[in-house]
Short mmCIF file of all heavy atoms in Angstrom, two decimals:
data_model
loop_
_atom_site.label_atom_id
_atom_site.label_comp_id
_atom_site.label_asym_id
_atom_site.label_seq_id
_atom_site.Cartn_x
_atom_site.Cartn_y
_atom_site.Cartn_z
N GLU A 685 -20.00 -0.73 92.82
CA GLU A 685 -19.62 0.62 93.32
C GLU A 685 -18.31 0.49 94.06
O GLU A 685 -18.01 -0.56 94.62
CB GLU A 685 -20.71 1.17 94.25
CG GLU A 685 -21.98 1.44 93.53
CD GLU A 685 -23.02 2.10 94.47
OE1 GLU A 685 -22.64 2.60 95.53
OE2 GLU A 685 -24.21 2.09 94.08
N TYR A 686 -17.52 1.56 94.07
CA TYR A 686 -16.22 1.55 94.71
C TYR A 686 -16.11 2.67 95.71
O TYR A 686 -16.52 3.80 95.42
CB TYR A 686 -15.13 1.69 93.65
CG TYR A 686 -15.17 0.55 92.63
CD1 TYR A 686 -15.93 0.67 91.48
CD2 TYR A 686 -14.49 -0.61 92.84
CE1 TYR A 686 -15.97 -0.37 90.55
CE2 TYR A 686 -14.53 -1.67 91.94
CZ TYR A 686 -15.29 -1.52 90.79
OH TYR A 686 -15.34 -2.54 89.86
N SER A 687 -15.53 2.37 96.85
CA SER A 687 -15.21 3.39 97.82
C SER A 687 -13.70 3.47 98.00
O SER A 687 -13.02 2.47 97.88
CB SER A 687 -15.90 3.17 99.20
OG SER A 687 -15.45 1.96 99.73
N TRP A 688 -13.22 4.68 98.21
CA TRP A 688 -11.77 4.95 98.31
C TRP A 688 -11.42 5.42 99.70
O TRP A 688 -12.19 6.17 100.35
CB TRP A 688 -11.38 6.02 97.32
CG TRP A 688 -11.53 5.70 95.88
CD1 TRP A 688 -12.70 5.63 95.18
CD2 TRP A 688 -10.50 5.36 94.96
NE1 TRP A 688 -12.44 5.31 93.87
CE2 TRP A 688 -11.09 5.11 93.72
CE3 TRP A 688 -9.11 5.21 95.08
CZ2 TRP A 688 -10.34 4.77 92.60
CZ3 TRP A 688 -8.40 4.88 93.96
CH2 TRP A 688 -9.00 4.67 92.73
N ALA A 689 -10.24 5.07 100.17
CA ALA A 689 -9.73 5.61 101.46
C ALA A 689 -8.21 5.69 101.30
O ALA A 689 -7.59 4.97 100.51
CB ALA A 689 -10.07 4.69 102.60
N ALA A 690 -7.58 6.61 102.07
CA ALA A 690 -6.15 6.82 102.03
C ALA A 690 -5.62 7.11 103.43
O ALA A 690 -6.19 7.94 104.14
CB ALA A 690 -5.77 7.92 101.08
N THR A 691 -4.55 6.42 103.82
CA THR A 691 -3.87 6.80 105.09
C THR A 691 -2.92 7.93 104.79
O THR A 691 -2.39 8.02 103.67
CB THR A 691 -3.12 5.59 105.69
OG1 THR A 691 -2.09 5.23 104.75
CG2 THR A 691 -4.04 4.43 105.96
N GLY A 692 -2.70 8.83 105.73
CA GLY A 692 -1.73 9.87 105.56
C GLY A 692 -2.09 10.91 104.56
O GLY A 692 -1.23 11.69 104.11
N GLY A 693 -3.34 10.95 104.19
CA GLY A 693 -3.71 11.93 103.16
C GLY A 693 -5.19 12.23 103.23
O GLY A 693 -5.94 11.60 103.95
N THR A 694 -5.61 13.16 102.39
CA THR A 694 -7.01 13.53 102.31
C THR A 694 -7.46 13.36 100.88
O THR A 694 -6.81 13.79 99.96
CB THR A 694 -7.17 15.04 102.69
OG1 THR A 694 -6.65 15.22 103.98
CG2 THR A 694 -8.62 15.45 102.65
N LEU A 695 -8.63 12.68 100.71
CA LEU A 695 -9.21 12.53 99.36
C LEU A 695 -9.77 13.92 99.00
O LEU A 695 -10.63 14.42 99.66
CB LEU A 695 -10.32 11.50 99.42
CG LEU A 695 -9.91 10.08 99.56
CD1 LEU A 695 -11.17 9.21 99.81
CD2 LEU A 695 -9.18 9.56 98.36
N ILE A 696 -9.19 14.48 97.94
CA ILE A 696 -9.67 15.81 97.57
C ILE A 696 -10.77 15.73 96.51
O ILE A 696 -11.54 16.65 96.37
CB ILE A 696 -8.50 16.75 97.08
CG1 ILE A 696 -7.73 16.11 95.95
CG2 ILE A 696 -7.64 17.12 98.25
CD1 ILE A 696 -6.65 16.99 95.42
N SER A 697 -10.82 14.63 95.79
CA SER A 697 -11.97 14.37 94.89
C SER A 697 -11.94 12.89 94.52
O SER A 697 -10.87 12.30 94.43
CB SER A 697 -11.89 15.27 93.66
OG SER A 697 -10.79 14.91 92.86
N TYR A 698 -13.11 12.33 94.31
CA TYR A 698 -13.16 10.91 93.88
C TYR A 698 -14.47 10.63 93.28
O TYR A 698 -15.47 11.29 93.54
CB TYR A 698 -12.79 9.97 95.00
CG TYR A 698 -13.77 9.96 96.16
CD1 TYR A 698 -14.81 9.04 96.22
CD2 TYR A 698 -13.63 10.86 97.20
CE1 TYR A 698 -15.70 9.05 97.30
CE2 TYR A 698 -14.50 10.89 98.27
CZ TYR A 698 -15.53 9.97 98.31
OH TYR A 698 -16.39 9.97 99.35
N ASN A 699 -14.50 9.63 92.43
CA ASN A 699 -15.70 9.05 91.90
C ASN A 699 -15.52 7.58 91.81
O ASN A 699 -14.62 7.03 92.44
CB ASN A 699 -16.06 9.71 90.54
CG ASN A 699 -14.96 9.56 89.47
OD1 ASN A 699 -14.27 8.53 89.49
ND2 ASN A 699 -14.82 10.49 88.62
N GLN A 700 -16.26 6.88 91.05
CA GLN A 700 -16.23 5.41 91.02
C GLN A 700 -14.86 4.86 90.51
O GLN A 700 -14.43 3.82 90.98
CB GLN A 700 -17.33 4.83 90.16
CG GLN A 700 -18.71 5.04 90.75
CD GLN A 700 -18.82 4.25 92.09
OE1 GLN A 700 -18.61 3.09 92.15
NE2 GLN A 700 -19.12 4.98 93.12
N HIS A 701 -14.17 5.56 89.61
CA HIS A 701 -12.98 5.00 89.04
C HIS A 701 -11.71 5.81 89.21
O HIS A 701 -10.63 5.37 88.90
CB HIS A 701 -13.21 4.68 87.55
CG HIS A 701 -13.35 5.86 86.68
ND1 HIS A 701 -14.52 6.56 86.60
CD2 HIS A 701 -12.48 6.55 85.87
CE1 HIS A 701 -14.38 7.57 85.78
NE2 HIS A 701 -13.18 7.60 85.34
N THR A 702 -11.81 7.02 89.81
CA THR A 702 -10.63 7.89 89.97
C THR A 702 -10.68 8.57 91.33
O THR A 702 -11.72 9.01 91.73
CB THR A 702 -10.61 8.95 88.86
OG1 THR A 702 -10.64 8.31 87.59
CG2 THR A 702 -9.39 9.84 88.94
N ALA A 703 -9.50 8.73 91.95
CA ALA A 703 -9.40 9.49 93.19
C ALA A 703 -8.15 10.35 93.11
O ALA A 703 -7.08 9.92 92.63
CB ALA A 703 -9.32 8.56 94.38
N SER A 704 -8.25 11.60 93.59
CA SER A 704 -7.14 12.49 93.73
C SER A 704 -6.88 12.62 95.25
O SER A 704 -7.81 12.87 96.00
CB SER A 704 -7.41 13.84 93.12
OG SER A 704 -7.50 13.75 91.76
N ILE A 705 -5.60 12.47 95.65
CA ILE A 705 -5.28 12.49 97.08
C ILE A 705 -4.26 13.59 97.35
O ILE A 705 -3.27 13.68 96.61
CB ILE A 705 -4.75 11.10 97.50
CG1 ILE A 705 -5.83 10.04 97.22
CG2 ILE A 705 -4.30 11.14 98.98
CD1 ILE A 705 -5.28 8.62 97.31
N ASN A 706 -4.48 14.36 98.39
CA ASN A 706 -3.49 15.34 98.86
C ASN A 706 -2.79 14.70 100.04
O ASN A 706 -3.39 14.55 101.13
CB ASN A 706 -4.22 16.63 99.31
CG ASN A 706 -3.25 17.67 99.77
OD1 ASN A 706 -2.06 17.65 99.42
ND2 ASN A 706 -3.75 18.58 100.57
N TRP A 707 -1.55 14.25 99.83
CA TRP A 707 -0.81 13.62 100.93
C TRP A 707 -0.36 14.63 101.94
O TRP A 707 0.18 15.69 101.54
CB TRP A 707 0.40 12.89 100.34
CG TRP A 707 0.00 11.78 99.40
CD1 TRP A 707 0.09 11.79 98.05
CD2 TRP A 707 -0.65 10.53 99.72
NE1 TRP A 707 -0.43 10.65 97.51
CE2 TRP A 707 -0.89 9.85 98.52
CE3 TRP A 707 -1.04 9.96 100.95
CZ2 TRP A 707 -1.49 8.62 98.52
CZ3 TRP A 707 -1.62 8.70 100.91
CH2 TRP A 707 -1.84 8.06 99.71
N THR A 708 -0.60 14.37 103.21
CA THR A 708 -0.28 15.28 104.29
C THR A 708 0.79 14.75 105.25
O THR A 708 1.26 15.44 106.11
CB THR A 708 -1.53 15.66 105.10
OG1 THR A 708 -2.13 14.41 105.58
CG2 THR A 708 -2.55 16.39 104.25
#
């Protein structure tokens, strides 16, 4: 299983293999 995190942004959607990030 995979978990995603992003600095300076918000994960707007994610699953095991893909993440969409809204950079703020």
Side-chain angles (χ1 to χ4, degrees):
E685 294 184 16
Y686 300 90
S687 63
W688 295 76
T691 62
T694 303
L695 291 169
I696 55 175
S697 66
Y698 63 95
N699 58 33
Q700 290 297 303
H701 67 280
T702 304
S704 294
I705 301 167
N706 181 23
W707 298 106
T708 55

